[in-house]
Amino acid sequence: DTGVSQDPRHKITKRGQNVTFRCDPISEHNRLYWYRQTLGQGPEFLTYFQNEAQLEKSRLLSDRFSAERPKGSFSTLEIQRTEQGDSAMYLCASSASGGISTDTQYFGPGTRLTVL
Amino acid sequence: LAKTTQPISMDSYEGQEVNITCSHNNIATNDYITWYQQFPSQGPRFIIQGYKTKVTNEVASLFIPADRKSSTLSLPRVSLSDTAVYYCLVGFMNTNAGKSTFGDGTTLTVKP
């Protein structure tokens, strides 16, 4: 399968713990996005990378959230001191930019986070 | 910021054509319109994208009027497996990756 993969698929943690999620994009895609989705809502943009550079961050991304994309390949999203309000599906997407491309995003299956 | 408005839900029957309309009154000149499909516990899946007039692929058609203030996703002869949430997204990702929002989507329920 050459699509976007995310690990783990499910994570249950206790409030106050740190969690880290991983995303492996489609290999030739230079852009990588993170979204958060809660039940009944559409995905909310968190941040995106072009290669290894983090170019944009949403106001939703508090200081407890950090994302990295070393070497412009896989990415990690870390949440420190988790709160119950962080419970959501965390989605990763990738795309290939360039020219007049409209940057169609391809999504992974998501990581479901439950904070107890 | 290109905000979109879609019906919250729609019902249909197998074999019928379904049209879902999205309003985007403040669409910008460079913005494209993209539709995604999402099943429970899965990430959104790209369906179709267009800028103006009509676009057709193997699964859907997208109709965009001249003023581009709305768009209609057309699904021909739906089946039970088309039951999903459909999102309309407006933006030009190359320069505004974070400026486009998914909205809450349209939940399509296909009945036998």
Side-chain angles (χ1 to χ4, degrees):
Chain A
D1 186 350
T2 57
V4 178
S5 62
Q6 293 187 244
D7 184 68
R9 294 292 308 277
H10 304 274
K11 179 70 177 178
I12 300 174
T13 191
K14 293 182 179 179
R15 187 178 56 180
Q17 298 295 305
N18 299 343
V19 294
T20 300
F21 310 140
R22 176 180 170 121
C23 172
D24 286 272
I26 294 172
S27 59
E28 61 269 26
H29 285 182
N30 60 343
R31 289 193 169 189
L32 187 147
Y33 306 77
W34 285 100
Y35 290 84
R36 180 174 68 188
Q37 185 174 28
T38 53
L39 197 61
Q41 308 292 315
E44 298 173 297
F45 170 81
L46 292 178
T47 188
Y48 98 97
F49 293 82
Q50 179 151 321
N51 300 312
E52 66 276 8
Q54 188 173 17
L55 297 186
E56 194 162 345
K57 293 195 294 185
S58 163
R59 287 171 293 178
L60 293 174
L61 211 65
S62 75
D63 292 344
R64 297 184 296 106
F65 288 69
S66 63
E68 295 182 343
R69 192 183 182 196
K71 303 178 183 178
S73 55
F74 72 92
S75 176
T76 58
L77 177 68
E78 180 183 16
I79 309 174
Q80 297 182 328
R81 304 180 303 282
T82 53
E83 302 173 356
Q84 289 183 325
D86 297 330
S87 294
M89 175 78 86
Y90 289 84
L91 294 163
C92 175
S94 70
S95 70
S97 69
I100 59 171
S101 166
T102 56
D103 208 39
T104 300
Q105 296 178 46
Y106 296 87
F107 284 80
T111 294
R112 170 76 63 188
L113 172 67
T114 302
V115 182
L116 302 176
Chain B
L1 182 61
K3 178 176 171 58
T4 61
T5 303
Q6 302 174 233
I8 294 173
S9 63
M10 294 182 68
D11 290 342
S12 182
Y13 291 92
E14 282 190 292
Q16 290 187 333
E17 177 184 75
V18 170
N19 296 310
I20 305 174
T21 297
C22 178
S23 297
H24 27 80
N25 291 320
N26 58 343
I27 188 169
T29 302
N30 288 341
D31 285 344
Y32 281 72
I33 300 154
T34 310
W35 285 81
Y36 287 85
Q37 175 192 56
Q38 187 176 28
F39 298 112
S41 299
Q42 295 186 24
R45 182 177 76 98
F46 171 82
I47 301 176
I48 196 166
Q49 184 177 74
Y51 182 79
K52 61 181 179 180
T53 62
K54 176 183 175 182
V55 179
T56 298
N57 62 22
E58 63 275 9
V59 298
S61 294
L62 178 59
F63 299 92
I64 306 168
D67 66 6
R68 303 199 329 119
K69 293 185 183 299
S70 67
S71 59
T72 299
L73 173 72
S74 181
L75 304 173
R77 299 179 298 280
V78 294
S79 64
L80 296 176
S81 63
D82 293 317
T83 293
V85 179
Y86 292 81
Y87 294 99
C88 163
L89 185 67
V90 174
F92 184 55
M93 291 298 192
N94 270 334
T95 55
N96 289 300
K99 303 297 190 294
S100 299
T101 58
F102 274 81
D104 293 337
T106 298
T107 299
L108 172 65
T109 303
V110 180
K111 303 175 182 178

